[in-house]
Amino acid sequence: YGGGSLKAYETLPDPRFMFMHAPFNAALPRVIYVLRDPRDTMVSYWHYHRLTVEGFDLSLHDFIAKDDHWPCRWDEHVAGWLLKKRHPRLLIVRYEELHRDALATLSRVFEFSGMRYDMVELEKAVEASSFDRMQAAENEKGAGLVSAPMKNERFVRKGKIGAWKDEMDAECTRLLEEKYKAVMNKVGY
């Protein structure tokens, strides 16, 4: 999508679910915003770069220090959607709640979208998308990426909330929290 016209998607049947990292856009009919702790987000994003970007060699500290993350900094993205303009048809899903109770969270998503769902089918979908199954699928079929420059990296890595504590040293944590402090406090991190 990239923030341009949505005309290209008009012919797709309803309902249309699109996964994107777009900054705020009031033209979107409904938005399900997945909010995640920026410490876990940035560690995950750093590993993603290590997996997908040929020649990527920044340390986690240097990566966090940069301000040119796509499509924008974490705090700018979150503030754009949740603090400044606030989309009129917005459902906030915290990554942590999705992790803790996927079935209840997905039920809320379906209700918000106005879609009917069968609880048994939803339970099957949750089971099919469990961390272990996703990791097994990656082992079998790969991550679906064009290339994987860092062969020791995975797309489906840990599946753990708070994994940043295992990877970020005190200086990285201080830098990130200082950088995103205002928005982190406003959204409960």
Side-chain angles (χ1 to χ4, degrees), residues 19-83:
F19 172 78
M20 60 182 79
H21 292 91
F24 179 84
N25 184 338
L28 298 170
R30 290 185 192 178
V31 175
I32 300 163
Y33 191 93
V34 180
L35 178 63
R36 188 177 186 191
D37 185 319
R39 294 163 290 207
D40 278 329
T41 300
M42 293 306 288
V43 168
S44 178
Y45 193 36
W46 177 69
H47 280 284
Y48 179 77
H49 272 72
R50 290 170 43 95
L51 178 66
T52 61
V53 177
E54 192 72 47
F56 181 81
D57 65 352
L58 289 179
S59 68
L60 179 57
H61 180 276
D62 291 345
F63 184 72
I64 290 168
K66 289 176 41 156
D67 283 333
D68 64 341
H69 297 125
W70 180 87
C72 57
R73 285 173 37 142
W74 178 91
D75 58 336
E76 293 168 347
H77 199 276
V78 172
W81 280 103
L82 307 185
L83 304 179

Side-chain angles (χ1 to χ4, degrees), residues 128 131-143 154 156:
F131 179 79
D132 291 339
R133 292 229 177 144
M134 287 173 50
Q135 207 168 51
E138 181 178 351
N139 290 341
E140 182 183 325
K141 299 175 183 160
R154 303 182 57 92
V156 182

Side-chain angles (χ1 to χ4, degrees), residues 49-181:
H49 272 72
R50 290 170 43 95
L51 178 66
T52 61
V53 177
E54 192 72 47
F56 181 81
D57 65 352
L58 289 179
S59 68
L60 179 57
H61 180 276
D62 291 345
F63 184 72
I64 290 168
K66 289 176 41 156
D67 283 333
D68 64 341
H69 297 125
W70 180 87
C72 57
R73 285 173 37 142
W74 178 91
D75 58 336
E76 293 168 347
H77 199 276
V78 172
W81 280 103
L82 307 185
L83 304 179
K84 293 179 183 172
K85 301 164 190 103
R86 195 66 181 234
H87 195 282
R89 292 164 308 283
L90 174 79
L91 173 67
I92 300 169
V93 172
R94 289 186 178 266
Y95 179 86
E96 297 82 4
E97 73 185 351
L98 182 60
H99 197 276
R100 207 173 17 259
D101 191 348
L103 188 61
T105 305
L106 289 176
S107 294
R108 282 186 31 233
V109 166
F110 273 86
E111 288 165 14
F112 173 78
S113 69
M115 292 177 57
R116 292 186 189 167
Y117 64 95
D118 176 278
M119 189 55 84
V120 173
E121 292 300 314
L122 198 56
E123 288 170 352
K124 288 179 187 175
V126 167
E127 177 57 32
S129 61
S130 71
F131 179 79
D132 291 339
R133 292 229 177 144
M134 287 173 50
Q135 207 168 51
E138 181 178 351
N139 290 341
E140 182 183 325
K141 299 175 183 160
L145 303 168
V146 175
S147 66
M150 300 288 285
K151 300 299 182 205
N152 60 338
E153 284 288 343
R154 303 182 57 92
F155 184 77
V156 182
R157 289 183 331 101
K158 291 191 176 188
K160 179 180 161 189
I161 294 169
W164 65 269
K165 295 172 190 169
D166 300 331
E167 299 194 50
M168 288 178 65
D169 63 22
E171 177 56 24
C172 283
T173 304
R174 184 203 59 75
L175 175 64
L176 185 143
E177 290 174 350
E178 180 179 293
K179 193 172 178 177
Y180 300 143
K181 179 181 182 177

